[in-house]
Amino acid sequence: MKKTIVLLAFLLAAGISQAQDKKFTAAMEKQLAAMDSSKTKEQFQASFNAFERIGNAEKNEWLPKYYMAFCSLMMGYMDDTRKTDDYCDKADQLLALADSLSPNNSEIYALRSMSASARIRVSPMTRGAKYGQESGVLLAKAKELDASNPRVYLLEGQGLFYTPPAFGGGKDKAQPVLEDAVKKYEAFRPASSIHPAWGLPRAKKMLEECRK
Amino acid sequence: MKTLKIICLFLLLLLAAPAVPAQTAVSGTVKDEKKAQVPGANVFIKNSYDGTSSDARGNFSFNTSESGAMIIVCSMLGYETVEKPVTISGAALSVDFILKEKISELDVVVISAGTIEASDEKKTTVLKPLDIVTTAGANGDVYGALKTLPGTQQVGESEGLFVRGGTGAETKTVIDGMLVHNPFFSSVPDIAQRGRFSPFLFKGTVFSTGGYSAQYGQGLSSVLVLETQDLPDRTSSTLALSSVGVGAGHNQLWKEKGMSAGFEVNYTNLAPYFALVKQAQEYVRNPQFTGGSVNFRKKTSSTGMLKFYGYFNTGDLALKRHDIDSVDHKSLFDLRNENVYTNLSWREYAGRWRIDLASSYSCNRDRILLDADTISGISQLSQGRAMASRGIGTRSQVRFGGEYQYLTEDGRFNQYTRGFYDNYGAGFVETDIYFSPKLVARAGGRFESSSVLARTNVAPRASLALRTGRHSQASLAYGDFYQKPDRDFLYFPGGIDYEKATHYILNYQVVTDSLTFRVELYHKTYDQLVKTVPVLSNAGDGYARGIDVFWRDKKSFRNVDYWISYTYIDTKRNWRDYPKPVMPTFAADHNASLVFKKFFPKIRTSAGFSYLYSTGRPYYNPNNPEFLGDRTYDLHSLNLNASYLTRIGKAFTVVVLSVTNVPGFSQVYGYRYSSDGLRRETIGPPAKRMIFAGLFMSFGQDRSREVLNNNN
């Protein structure tokens, strides 16, 4: 009798946590779908808020913080360069929290690299060297942690695309890296339905630009 | 058994049936302190999934399945998050939020009266160090670039920063807290010399136009505070080739050890340039300078930094100048100079305390031949300084410290020698009190004592700053400033006293990321100025008052950055051999500059011009009974420069070309009359135009690129 009750209690607990997990996954999937179709700053703001709420309820999950950082960087690209540092600061804060929840995570390092590159826009002449280097170091770490992560190659190719040819960049240098990125996207299987999977459309679009 | 069945059934129902909790509707508005709507704010129940974003009108509404005592949160980037306790019981809930803007560092008020800061780190600064280097007409000289800022006078024939009616000697240069005794190359008659130090050495520049902190002294008009770079980002080598010389350097970074060391050597020879561009002076030995520097930096802890900088330079030139009192005689001016400057500084944080220690030694030797006379001099300055600062509360600060300088001057004129030494000590205490992020007051005092004068002084300093709007602030500054009389008077001081100036400054400025507007009213009274007639005394006095305006715009035109500065000054002084208070020779009623730069990203070129204008300066005419009653013509100059960024092999390269006075305006700084007052010669620039061309290469070891390439 006692054993049965314990077994049932255990099943109940497992059931509840699985339900909770399901709730988390369902909520994340819903918000990811909304984020993937976001185009405006206001839409990214709404996604940012939604991930903030999920993260607020599930404090041990790194993914909500990761996507909040992603949305923050997207908003930064669409807003005045005067606000860029604010968005990047927020993203960096969130990625630091995500890192403490999931250390040595290739996706987190890749996004940190993207945040550093984003800061260059504010003043390319004075910031190019410093943040270009910082971004490179973070991306190298991301590659080291997971060489199959297609986002690493997308960001590397993107970096080369926007670097002037005189400084070792340009479309010809970017093209092979982006081709590799597209191949890696096709081969990559995210760890779950809510793990990072963004970037393929962007990689393809940039590759087209290179081929022109 | 029956109990068990009931339990199982109950549990099954619990697991199988999805919970259908009671829903409560929550709605409301989100506004800011000015009652404006805030769209896109996040409103949610703490620790729950339930919530939504406010719409374009700042309204929100959502349903929650939570119940009981909960907290509802409203958050938005740039605002302080607000939490409110609510009880959710099923009845519709209405909650309104008022969000307060977050105080970012940009919004905190800073003392700005009399201060122009150029720094990469702070966002509220007016100039960045790169701006100094790319200003047309500056030729990469810090002082040249500062002359385009308000408050400075255009004095073409002498080196130094002439600020608000003061002489160049009234502006002191400080590097890492240490006074620099010879910031310029040795004076050559009628030829303004450059500053000794490269602008790339510095990460921060604070140029004061008056009313500066009690930390500094001995500058009646101004102090230029320079801070050297900390650890470099990477190991790099540099190579410089220009129309006047060559240079090379290397900086090695050991990142894991938090240490860097480097050196730089340079050789300047104006012979080739003078062969192409004719100068007014006739050179017997063309100017040659050989020099170099070493630097060492180490992080002594996670917050501590030790820096050493050592500089040496030798210079050599000889020229002949037409002697106005003779028909064909040319006076010889032959100069040899050796200069050594060292600076050791250390800063460390301990809790809320910050300690700054610094020491420096410099030695300057000049040997001058003036026709048949030999004049030589050796100056040696050893100094040490200690300062402790502590934060109080959120933003307030108190700092106090002291410095000691031991100066020896030994001079020789043919067979006569003279010399003096001075033990100078100073102590200061100052506090910045933030009543709120919008209002700060600074009060302090400085005590100085000099053994050669055998006198002490106490100087009070005070300022106030009030933030008047999101980007604007007003600031007031007041202070007394003392300075030892010039070296020539110190050999036989005969009881003279410090010279004194009292500053009153009122400043209003608006600084955003793209626009800067500054207007400053100033009134300076001079006292105890050294008079040489009828006897050596401190009976001189004077005043300088006026208005400075500065406008900088980085956004209106694509890739264009320009600034306009204007200074009006009304100044008179009675000093040295002046018979009465008159406007001195180094001041002009109106000074204006327009500096313009445009970046062309497709061709990676930055081009710009600077236009400088000033009204005439007084000059001495022995035929005019009105002392210094004559004025030179207005002065105009239009300078152009261009820099092109490229890559040669692995090196990041900048090619620079600059030309001063492109239209070839005739520039008159003053006149020199013959002893009989019948003839005069023009004092002007050594050549109509100065042309400079240079190539600077930087080879950086970019490890990350290597890593990325290797892993592919």
Side-chain angles (χ1 to χ4, degrees), chain A residues 53-64:
Chain A
R53 295 194 289 272
I54 299 174
N56 183 254
E58 308 284 355
K59 294 198 165 42
N60 292 324
E61 295 287 347
W62 66 276
L63 285 165

Side-chain angles (χ1 to χ4, degrees), chain A:
Chain A
M1 177 70 184
K2 210 170 168 189
K3 265 195 206 164
T4 340
I5 293 180
V6 168
L7 187 65
L8 283 169
F10 180 72
L11 282 170
L12 182 65
I16 288 172
S17 91
Q18 204 187 30
Q20 194 70 359
D21 241 350
K22 276 214 178 100
K23 186 177 181 192
F24 171 67
T25 310
M28 289 290 289
E29 280 175 349
K30 181 171 169 213
Q31 290 309 327
L32 279 169
M35 190 186 84
D36 281 339
S37 60
S38 289
K39 297 252 183 317
T40 69
K41 193 175 72 128
E42 289 70 28
Q43 288 168 334
F44 276 110
Q45 177 74 66
S47 283
F48 176 93
N49 290 347
F51 286 117
E52 184 174 22
R53 295 194 289 272
I54 299 174
N56 183 254
E58 308 284 355
K59 294 198 165 42
N60 292 324
E61 295 287 347
W62 66 276
L63 285 165
K65 306 250 178 314
Y66 172 90
Y67 288 114
M68 276 172 82
F70 180 79
C71 290
S72 189
L73 292 173
M74 288 295 117
M75 286 193 279
Y77 283 120
M78 295 172 190
D79 207 333
D80 207 301
T81 47
R82 284 178 268 180
K83 301 228 186 95
T84 301
D85 278 325
D86 290 336
Y87 287 112
C88 290
D89 286 340
K90 188 78 190 169
D92 289 343
Q93 260 173 44
L94 290 160
L95 290 167
L97 286 168
D99 182 66
S100 64
L101 293 168
S102 174
N104 295 321
N105 184 319
S106 176
E107 301 289 356
I108 294 177
Y109 275 93
L111 213 56
R112 282 174 66 187
S113 166
M114 196 164 116
S115 177
S117 300
R119 291 185 195 266
I120 298 176
R121 289 170 73 227
V122 180
S123 173
M125 273 189 76
T126 47
R127 290 182 165 211
K130 175 176 176 195
Y131 287 110
Q133 205 211 2
E134 212 177 286
S135 172
V137 167
L138 289 163
L139 199 59
K141 177 94 185 176
K143 192 187 254 193
E144 197 191 324
L145 289 168
D146 181 1
S148 71
N149 183 350
R151 276 155 289 285
V152 167
Y153 301 87
L154 167 61
L155 291 172
E156 192 187 332
Q158 189 167 284
L160 286 166
F161 186 87
Y162 288 114
T163 303
F167 295 104
K171 288 186 181 175
D172 331 307
K173 293 268 165 67
Q175 194 172 325
V177 179
L178 289 167
E179 278 167 358
D180 199 9
V182 171
K183 281 206 200 94
K184 294 247 171 7
Y185 268 108
E186 272 145 23
F188 188 75
R189 294 277 161 272
S192 82
S193 60
I194 56 172
H195 271 69
W198 56 271
L200 179 56
R202 176 126 185 90
K204 283 187 170 165
K205 183 158 178 255
M206 286 190 86
L207 193 54
E208 245 183 74
E209 286 291 314
C210 286
R211 288 183 176 144
K212 280 202 184 139

Side-chain angles (χ1 to χ4, degrees), chain B residues 60-80:
Chain B
F60 67 88
S61 78
F62 65 95
N63 289 331
T64 176
S65 49
E66 308 289 343
S67 65
M70 297 260 101
I71 296 179
I72 182 167
V73 183
C74 179
S75 73
M76 177 73 190
L77 193 64
Y79 296 88
E80 303 282 352

Side-chain angles (χ1 to χ4, degrees), chain B residues 303-508:
Chain B
T303 49
M305 175 71 81
L306 179 71
K307 294 197 272 195
F308 173 76
Y309 176 72
Y311 163 96
F312 72 93
N313 188 285
T314 69
D316 169 14
L317 62 90
L319 54 84
K320 287 198 155 151
R321 307 156 57 221
H322 175 244
D323 181 348
I324 195 164
D325 280 321
S326 102
V327 173
D328 55 7
H329 179 247
K330 292 205 169 169
S331 308
L332 172 72
F333 177 85
D334 183 318
L335 167 69
R336 282 190 211 272
N337 167 265
E338 283 126 40
N339 182 293
V340 168
Y341 172 78
T342 64
N343 184 319
L344 179 69
S345 65
W346 179 68
R347 68 169 190 265
E348 177 61 278
Y349 293 83
R352 294 208 74 184
W353 286 95
R354 175 182 155 148
I355 314 284
D356 287 272
L357 294 178
S359 71
S360 159
Y361 169 74
S362 72
C363 176
N364 186 70
R365 288 214 301 214
D366 282 322
R367 197 278 287 130
I368 299 168
L369 297 177
L370 270 182
D371 279 335
D373 295 320
T374 306
I375 302 166
S376 61
I378 302 180
S379 309
Q380 291 184 81
L381 177 63
S382 307
Q383 51 184 310
R385 178 195 162 95
M387 178 168 86
S389 357
R390 186 183 198 278
I392 304 172
T394 340
R395 286 178 197 92
S396 303
Q397 207 191 59
V398 66
R399 45 186 171 271
F400 57 90
E403 54 190 10
Y404 170 72
Q405 295 172 7
Y406 179 65
L407 172 70
T408 60
E409 294 274 6
D410 289 294
R412 190 186 189 98
F413 182 84
N414 292 334
Q415 73 273 43
Y416 305 106
T417 60
R418 59 181 189 173
F420 71 87
Y421 68 87
D422 185 32
N423 281 303
Y424 165 88
F428 61 87
V429 65
E430 189 168 68
T431 162
D432 288 347
I433 304 173
Y434 275 87
F435 298 105
S436 81
K438 294 195 168 125
L439 179 63
V440 61
R442 171 181 290 176
R446 185 180 175 86
F447 165 82
E448 294 176 320
S449 142
S450 156
S451 70
V452 71
L453 294 179
R455 286 186 192 272
T456 62
N457 70 64
V458 177
R461 309 261 172 98
S463 358
L464 194 70
L466 172 69
R467 184 158 279 287
T468 50
R470 178 97 212 269
H471 300 286
S472 62
Q473 59 170 74
S475 183
L476 280 171
Y478 156 76
D480 279 345
F481 300 85
Y482 292 92
Q483 185 169 340
K484 287 184 271 182
D486 285 350
R487 179 178 67 178
D488 284 340
F489 301 112
L490 298 178
Y491 290 105
F492 306 104
I496 54 170
D497 202 348
Y498 298 94
E499 291 184 319
K500 178 181 176 184
T502 305
H503 300 182
Y504 304 90
I505 301 174
L506 175 61
N507 158 303
Y508 174 73

